[in-house]
Amino acid sequence: MLLQLFVLALASTASAKEACTAEEQEGALVNAFTAWGGNEWHNKKGWLDSTLECRLKDLKFPAHCCWHGITCCVSSTCAETERPDVDRCGCKQGLVWGINLDSNNLVGNFTRFDHTPFACSLQRLKLSYNGLSGEISGGIKVHKRLSSLELQANELQGTLPTEIGQVSSLRLVLLSSNKLEGTVPPDICSNASRLSSLAIDDNNFSGLLDLTHCKKLTYVAAKGNNLAPNLDEALPELKSVFLEDNSLVGALPDDIFANFLPNLEQLAISKNKLSGRLPDMSMYSLKNVILDENRFVGPIPDSWSRIARPNSLVRLDTNYLSCCGIKPMTIQQLSTVNRTLRIDEVYEGVDYSAPLLPPFLELSDELEPVTVKLQQSFKAAGMRCPTLRIVGQEANPEGTLDWFLDPSYYMFEKCECDEGLRLVNLTKPGHIFYFECQVPELDSSSSSDQTWVEAYPWTVVIIVVVGCLLLVMTSFALYLYKGKEVLRKLRNLKKRTQGLPSSGPFVAVVTDIQGWTDLCAMHPDLSMKVLGIHNSILRKARWMNFGYTHETEGDSFTVVFCDAKDAAAFCLQAQQMLNMQQWPCPRQSSNSEEGPFPHMKNYVNPLSKLPMVPMIKDFSMHGVPKIQTFGSSRNHSNLGGPASLDVRVRMGMASGFLHQDESLHGHPTIAKAKEVSDAAVGGQILMEGNTFAAIKDSLGELGTVDAQVGMGGFSLN
C-alpha cells in the first residue's frame, strides 16, 4: 500500500512538472523580450502589456496571446478535420501555440530562451532572419509538441545537439545561414521521428551526413558545408536533395536512383569534384538535376531521355563531358588534379563516327550566349551556341529544353561569336575539337603594284559623294514614310544582334525569388513547377527587352543590358507577368488564421485589367531609388477560393562600365546589382543612383510597359 502511494506521488509530481501555465509562459516571454533587446524590435505591439484585453472567436485569452507574433491554443480538443500543428487545437486554451518573430531585429543569446514553460503546448518557433547568437542547447528536448523549428539566418554557433533527435514531433527544421559546426548527429532522427524537411545549408558542418534513420524525410538542403552523404540505406520518401559546394569527390553510384533515392524529384550537387561517368537514369520522377561545375566525363547515357521534357531543368555544363572523346582520365586522376583542364587534355583521342548528341536531343536554331564561369574547360567569352530541344519538337520557345551543356560536348556545332569576334579553331591533331572567339588580326600585307584607287583618286571621291547623297535621300524618304517606327525597329534590330557587351557602359539586373529556400522546404513537390514558370517568364521578358543572360544559379538570374531603359522595362514587364501568373496550389490548405506555410494566398482572376504602372523615386532605403508597382492583384479573395502560392521576385539594377578585355564575370557592377537586389523585398525593384539618373527623363515612356507589350512595341503573343 505504501509502495502504491509512493508511485502515485511520483506520478503526480511528474505531471505537475510537465504541466504548463499561462502565467509561467507570460513570464518567459517577458524574459525573452529583455534578453533579446525588445526595445529595438521592429514590431513590439502589445508586448509587456498584461492588462491588454485579448479576445478571439468570442473567447477571452490571456493578454500575451495578443502580443505581436504570439498565437495561442484555441481548443483543447481537435475535430476530425483539424490538425494540431495547423489548427491550434489539442492543447489547453490560452497556452502559447506559436512564436513568430521573424525578421524583427532580435539580438542576443538564444540560450536565454527558457523552453520548459512551453514544453506541452508550443507547436511553432520561428525566429529566423534576426541576430541571435549562442548555441542551440540540449534544453530543446523538453518539447512534446514542437513541429516547426525555424532559426535560419542568425548568428548561432557551436554544434547541433543530439537532443534535437529526441523531439520526435519535429517535422520542419530550418537552420540555414548560421555558424554551426561539427558533425550532424547520426541520431538526428529517432525511431519515432516525423522529420520531413531539414535545411542546414551555409554552415560549417563536416564529416558524414547520416540520415538513414530519417525514413520520412522528403527535403534536405546541406549546401555550403563539408559533408559527405551516407548512401548505405534507401530513403524512399526523399524527393529533394541539395548538396552543392561540399567538396564531394569520386563517382556517383550507378544505382543511386534505383536503390537509394527511388522517388527523387530534385538533385543538386554542383560545385563539387565528382568525376567518372554519369549514372544511368532509371526514373521518370526527376524534374531538376543540377550537376554543373564537377568533373564528369564521357557521353550522356541514352537512359536520360526519361527526364527530357519541358519544365525539367538539367545542368551538366562546366564538366568534361564529351560525345566523342575516347580514353578519358581516370577518376583518381580527375579527383587529385588541382587546376581546370582544357577539354582536349582530358581525352587521349576522338571518335569522329560517334553521334554529337544522344538520340533524343537535337540542336535548335536559337542561339544564346554561353555563360562564362571560372572552372570551364574552354574559353566561353563572346560565344553564342544553340539551345537543345527534343528530337522532332517544333521550333518555339515553349519547346526549348532547359538543358545546359558545354558546346565542347557537341564539338561547337552551330556556335557563333559576338560581333567583332571570329571563331578560331585551336584543335590539336588527334584531340577533341577546341574553339575560341578571338579578335581578328589585321592583315599587314600590302601590294607593291599600283591599284586603280591610286591611279584614279577622284573616282573614289565621286563614288563616296554620290553614295552619301543616295543614302541621305533614302533615309529622308524612309523617315517621311514610316519615320520613328523605322528608326525604332532599326535600333531594336541592332540591340537584338549585338550580344553581351564586350566593352562600354552596361546595366546589370539581378533577380531572385524571396523565400525560395523556405518554399522548397515547405512545398518540395511544387518548387520545380514554380521555378519552371518563373524561368519562362523571365526569359520572355528578357528577350522582349533586348537583354542577355549572364548567369543563372537556382532561382537567381543575372541579366545584362546595354541600355538602362531596356533594363527598367524588363523589370517592369517581368513583375507584371509574375503578378498575373496563376501559381500552383498546395495540396493541403487550412481554415486557420495562421498556418505553418507563409507563402499562401487566395487566387484572384489574373485576367482583370492591369492599371498603368507609375514610377516614383523613394529614398527610404539608404538613398537608393526604387520603382514600385501599384494596383497589385495579390490580395486575398473574399470568395474563399483555393489558396495558391504567393511567389514574389525582388530585382536590383546597377550601372557600370566594361573596359576592353575586361570580363563580366566577377565585375563590381554585378556585385553591386546583387547588393541592391538583396536590399529589396519580394515584388520590388530597386536601383542605384546612376541607373535612376539614366532613366528619370523617360518615366512617361516606361509607363507604357505592360505584361503584353514592352517599351519596344512588341507583343508577347
Side-chain angles (χ1 to χ4, degrees):
M1 188 66 178
L2 291 174
L3 179 61
Q4 291 178 342
L5 290 175
F6 180 70
V7 171
L8 289 175
L10 287 178
S12 176
T13 302
S15 175
K17 289 183 178 179
E18 293 180 357
C20 304
T21 66
E23 292 77 10
E24 289 178 344
Q25 290 184 345
E26 182 172 319
L29 291 174
V30 171
N31 291 337
F33 182 89
T34 303
W36 295 343
N39 291 326
E40 302 298 326
W41 290 2
H42 295 320
N43 190 339
K44 51 181 181 291
K45 182 178 179 181
W47 276 78
L48 306 187
D49 186 358
S50 59
T51 63
L52 188 66
E53 184 176 353
C54 184
R55 289 186 175 275
L56 179 64
K57 297 181 179 179
D58 297 327
L59 299 175
K60 186 176 181 181
F61 286 83
H64 62 263
C65 292
C66 286
W67 294 356
H68 167 71
I70 306 300
T71 51
C72 293
C73 297
V74 176
S75 173
S76 58
T77 58
C78 295
E80 290 186 8
T81 59
E82 292 181 320
R83 294 171 295 161
D85 57 345
V86 174
D87 299 305
R88 296 162 57 185
C89 61
C91 55
K92 182 179 178 182
Q93 177 186 324
L95 293 182
V96 174
W97 178 90
I99 301 175
N100 182 356
L101 296 173
D102 176 79
S103 304
N104 204 36
N105 196 35
L106 277 63
V107 178
N109 197 310
F110 178 64
T111 57
R112 297 288 299 277
F113 181 75
D114 188 0
H115 296 273
T116 304
F118 306 97
C120 61
S121 65
L122 190 64
Q123 289 274 357
R124 295 186 62 196
L125 180 60
K126 185 173 184 179
L127 306 174
S128 50
Y129 299 97
N130 284 295
L132 296 176
S133 58
E135 299 182 348
I136 303 175
S137 67
I140 197 171
K141 67 180 180 181
V142 301
H143 289 282
K144 306 300 181 185
R145 302 167 57 85
L146 188 62
S147 174
S148 176
L149 178 65
E150 302 177 48
L151 301 174
Q152 68 270 33
N154 277 286
E155 300 289 332
L156 298 177
Q157 303 134 5
T159 60
L160 196 60
T162 57
E163 287 83 358
I164 199 170
Q166 299 177 24
V167 187
S168 59
S169 58
L170 274 173
R171 294 177 182 268
L172 180 71
V173 176
L174 304 181
L175 303 174
S176 306
S177 301
N178 279 288
K179 298 178 181 179
L180 299 170
E181 59 187 5
T183 59
V184 177
D187 51 356
I188 190 172
C189 294
S190 62
N191 293 332
S193 175
R194 297 191 295 170
L195 187 64
S196 61
S197 294
L198 174 66
I200 55 174
D201 42 318
D202 296 322
N203 279 285
N204 298 314
F205 290 115
S206 59
L208 189 66
L209 180 61
D210 188 353
L211 301 174
T212 53
H213 298 299
C214 301
K215 298 302 181 183
K216 295 186 178 180
L217 195 64
T218 62
Y219 171 92
V220 57
K223 70 180 182 69
N225 289 286
N226 193 20
L227 293 167
N230 179 17
L231 295 176
D232 289 340
E233 292 188 29
L235 294 174
E237 300 295 327
L238 196 57
K239 294 183 178 180
S240 301
V241 176
F242 298 90
L243 289 170
E244 305 100 307
D245 194 13
N246 264 286
S247 301
L248 300 179
V249 297
L252 288 178
D254 290 335
D255 54 354
I256 182 174
F257 299 119
N259 291 346
F260 300 114
L261 306 170
N263 293 303
L264 195 66
E265 295 181 359
Q266 304 178 70
L267 176 65
I269 49 177
S270 60
K271 299 182 181 179
N272 286 289
K273 293 183 179 180
L274 295 171
S275 54
R277 297 182 181 270
L278 295 175
D280 281 333
M281 186 58 60
S282 59
M283 57 207 305
Y284 293 89
S285 62
L286 269 173
K287 302 174 184 177
N288 184 357
V289 185
I290 312 296
L291 303 180
D292 58 308
E293 298 194 47
N294 279 287
R295 299 177 179 184
F296 292 107
V297 296
I300 301 171
D302 294 352
S303 59
W304 280 57
S305 61
R306 290 182 170 89
I307 58 173
R309 55 184 178 271
N311 298 325
S312 289
L313 176 63
V314 177
R315 296 210 69 126
L316 299 174
D317 52 305
T318 325
N319 279 285
Y320 299 131
L321 295 170
S322 173
C323 65
C324 314
I326 58 176
K327 296 183 179 179
M329 296 174 65
T330 65
I331 294 176
Q332 178 66 24
Q333 290 172 324
L334 291 170
S335 299
T336 56
V337 69
N338 292 322
R339 64 183 180 90
T340 300
L341 300 170
R342 271 181 42 155
I343 186 64
D344 52 2
E345 295 179 302
V346 178
Y347 299 88
E348 291 186 10
V350 56
D351 180 7
Y352 294 103
S353 64
L356 293 181
L357 288 170
F360 57 90
L361 290 179
E362 66 180 4
L363 301 175
S364 72
D365 295 326
E366 180 185 357
L367 302 183
E368 283 194 349
V370 179
T371 302
V372 179
K373 296 183 179 179
L374 291 176
Q375 305 300 323
Q376 281 171 313
S377 61
F378 65 100
K379 291 184 179 180
M383 189 175 294
R384 292 180 288 116
C385 292
T387 57
L388 299 174
R389 66 186 179 198
I390 302 175
V391 171
Q393 191 85 16
E394 294 184 6
N396 56 68
E398 286 74 19
T400 301
L401 286 175
D402 281 335
W403 279 52
F404 296 86
L405 276 178
D406 292 326
S408 59
Y409 182 92
Y410 47 83
M411 306 287 225
F412 299 91
E413 183 75 15
K414 291 187 177 182
C415 289
E416 297 179 0
C417 293
D418 292 339
E419 185 178 358
L421 302 175
R422 66 184 180 92
L423 200 61
V424 179
N425 188 348
L426 300 177
T427 305
K428 301 175 183 177
H431 287 260
I432 291 287
F433 279 17
Y434 187 91
F435 287 79
E436 288 183 8
C437 289
Q438 297 182 356
V439 178
E441 296 181 0
L442 297 177
D443 186 5
S444 59
S445 62
S446 59
S447 174
S448 59
D449 298 332
Q450 188 181 38
T451 64
W452 69 271
V453 175
E454 295 172 329
Y456 307 100
W458 288 105
T459 305
V460 177
V461 176
I462 294 172
I463 292 174
V464 171
V465 171
V466 173
C468 290
L469 289 175
L470 289 174
L471 181 61
V472 170
M473 293 174 64
T474 303
S475 301
F476 185 69
L478 285 174
Y479 183 78
L480 292 177
Y481 180 64
K482 285 268 182 167
K484 295 182 179 180
E485 182 179 355
V486 173
L487 295 177
R488 176 172 55 80
K489 289 185 176 180
L490 289 174
R491 288 195 301 268
N492 292 345
L493 180 61
K494 181 180 179 181
K495 292 178 182 178
R496 188 79 69 202
T497 58
Q498 64 187 2
L500 277 169
S502 57
S503 62
F506 73 98
V507 179
V509 178
V510 175
T511 78
D512 69 349
I513 302 174
Q514 180 167 293
W516 174 246
T517 300
D518 294 354
L519 186 145
C520 289
M522 297 178 183
H523 306 292
D525 54 330
L526 296 179
S527 58
M528 279 306 99
K529 187 173 182 180
V530 168
L531 187 61
I533 296 172
H534 163 268
N535 290 354
S536 178
I537 288 175
L538 289 193
R539 287 195 182 96
K540 288 179 181 179
R542 179 215 67 194
W543 186 87
M544 290 293 300
N545 295 284
F546 321 110
Y548 295 88
T549 302
H550 168 63
E551 186 176 6
T552 62
E553 182 174 355
D555 62 312
S556 175
F557 268 70
T558 301
V559 187
V560 177
F561 297 84
C562 293
D563 187 270
K565 289 193 295 184
D566 292 336
F570 159 78
C571 294
L572 289 169
Q573 190 171 37
Q575 288 288 20
Q576 293 185 73
M577 292 166 66
L578 291 163
N579 194 65
M580 294 180 66
Q581 175 62 40
Q582 179 179 351
W583 299 101
C585 301
R587 293 193 181 97
Q588 294 181 339
S589 61
S590 172
N591 295 326
S592 63
E593 294 183 5
E594 181 181 359
F597 309 118
H599 296 280
M600 299 178 65
K601 73 180 183 69
N602 287 333
Y603 171 67
V604 178
N605 185 357
L607 299 180
S608 59
K609 185 177 180 182
L610 282 174
M612 192 68 69
V613 183
M615 296 184 293
I616 63 172
K617 183 176 180 182
D618 184 356
F619 290 94
S620 60
M621 296 286 292
H622 305 291
V624 179
K626 68 180 178 181
I627 294 178
Q628 291 184 331
T629 58
F630 298 89
S632 172
S633 64
R634 297 180 183 272
N635 297 315
H636 291 286
S637 171
N638 294 325
L639 301 178
S644 60
L645 293 177
D646 186 8
V647 180
R648 298 174 183 267
V649 176
R650 54 187 182 182
M651 300 181 176
M653 292 189 288
S655 300
F657 190 89
L658 186 67
H659 296 282
Q660 192 71 33
D661 299 329
E662 186 179 13
S663 174
L664 278 173
H665 189 81
H667 198 278
T669 300
I670 294 178
K672 184 186 296 182
K674 176 67 167 61
E675 183 179 355
V676 174
S677 174
D678 290 343
V681 297
Q684 193 177 63
I685 307 167
L686 293 186
M687 64 182 72
E688 47 81 54
N690 292 333
T691 308
F692 180 77
I695 69 165
K696 65 180 181 180
D697 295 328
S698 305
L699 300 187
E701 187 177 0
L702 288 169
T704 64
V705 175
D706 61 27
Q708 284 76 38
V709 181
M711 193 172 62
F714 292 98
S715 171
L716 287 172
N717 299 324

